[in-house]
Amino acid sequence: GGREGALGGTIAVGIRIPVAPHHGPIIRVGLGGELLGNSQFYYSHIDLPLGEIGYQYINGHTVFEIGGRGASLITGRYNTGDSFRRELGTSLEIGGYLAAHGEHGRIDVSFMHIAATPDPGTGVDVLRGAACGYVTPKVAICGDGMFIHGDEQPPLPTVPPSTPLSTSSTSIYGGVLVGFAIN
């Protein structure tokens, strides 16, 4: 698909209820979003407000967190190929996440279902994961992947009468990153 670009992030604030010194339930609110794409693929969403509820354990370098996430989608799109597109519009998003971080690496996994209501009226599912190994204190090797599945529509002015008004589309994205710390 050519050169690609990505921009995304989440800003959230919250509290952890101190059940014990190193763990307890957490509640967060915030906003998030992302843009990802190239000439054959485009995926975006803006979430406001975003809410998370889960359970967190932190002790030294060890962090483990599992929880659920829900958000109101302000806008978004899921487009594959040259002409198929999907406006996600204002819809709801629900999912879950798991994060495990330690002295030698980290793993993050999340699932999101966007209950998109604009035509064709079916949801979009997003599964993503990332894993990093800290090879040395100054070198990390990471892999990430994303699986997106949903229905899309061809451009309406050019649709022959026999063409279905939507088609199912699956996109798989992955990458490898090597990072170096410079002190």
Side-chain angles (χ1 to χ4, degrees):
R3 290 185 183 180
E4 66 184 41
L7 175 65
T10 300
I11 297 173
V13 296
I15 61 168
R16 181 177 81 203
I17 300 165
V19 171
H22 299 290
H23 62 91
I26 56 166
I27 300 170
R28 293 188 192 108
V29 295
L31 62 104
E34 70 181 308
L35 305 164
L36 171 67
N38 59 29
S39 63
Q40 295 293 309
F41 170 75
Y42 180 79
Y43 169 66
S44 68
H45 63 97
I46 299 174
D47 309 328
L48 179 67
L50 173 109
E52 295 178 339
I53 187 167
Y55 204 86
Q56 182 183 73
Y57 172 84
I58 298 179
N59 189 3
H61 293 286
T62 304
V63 178
F64 179 81
E65 188 172 315
I66 188 167
R69 176 179 293 150
S72 176
L73 213 74
I74 294 175
T75 188
R77 285 190 0 213
Y78 171 52
N79 303 348
T80 61
D82 290 326
S83 58
F84 281 81
R85 57 183 287 135
R86 173 72 185 271
E87 297 289 336
L88 300 177
T90 56
S91 46
L92 296 176
E93 161 192 321
I94 190 164
Y97 67 93
L98 176 124
H101 305 236
E103 188 174 350
H104 301 291
R106 61 184 284 162
I107 296 172
D108 296 285
V109 178
S110 66
F111 173 77
M112 172 173 48
H113 175 76
I114 301 170
T117 53
D119 290 337
T122 58
V124 174
D125 295 318
V126 181
L127 175 65
R128 65 182 347 145
C132 291
Y134 307 142
V135 180
T136 72
K138 295 193 178 263
V139 178
I141 299 175
C142 302
D144 69 330
M146 182 167 61
F147 171 90
I148 304 176
H149 178 80
D151 290 341
E152 294 180 288
Q153 297 175 313
L156 293 178
T158 61
V159 174
S162 61
T163 304
L165 292 179
S166 70
T167 185
S168 183
S169 177
T170 299
S171 300
I172 299 172
Y173 171 86
V176 175
L177 174 72
V178 178
F180 302 95
I182 300 173
N183 295 20

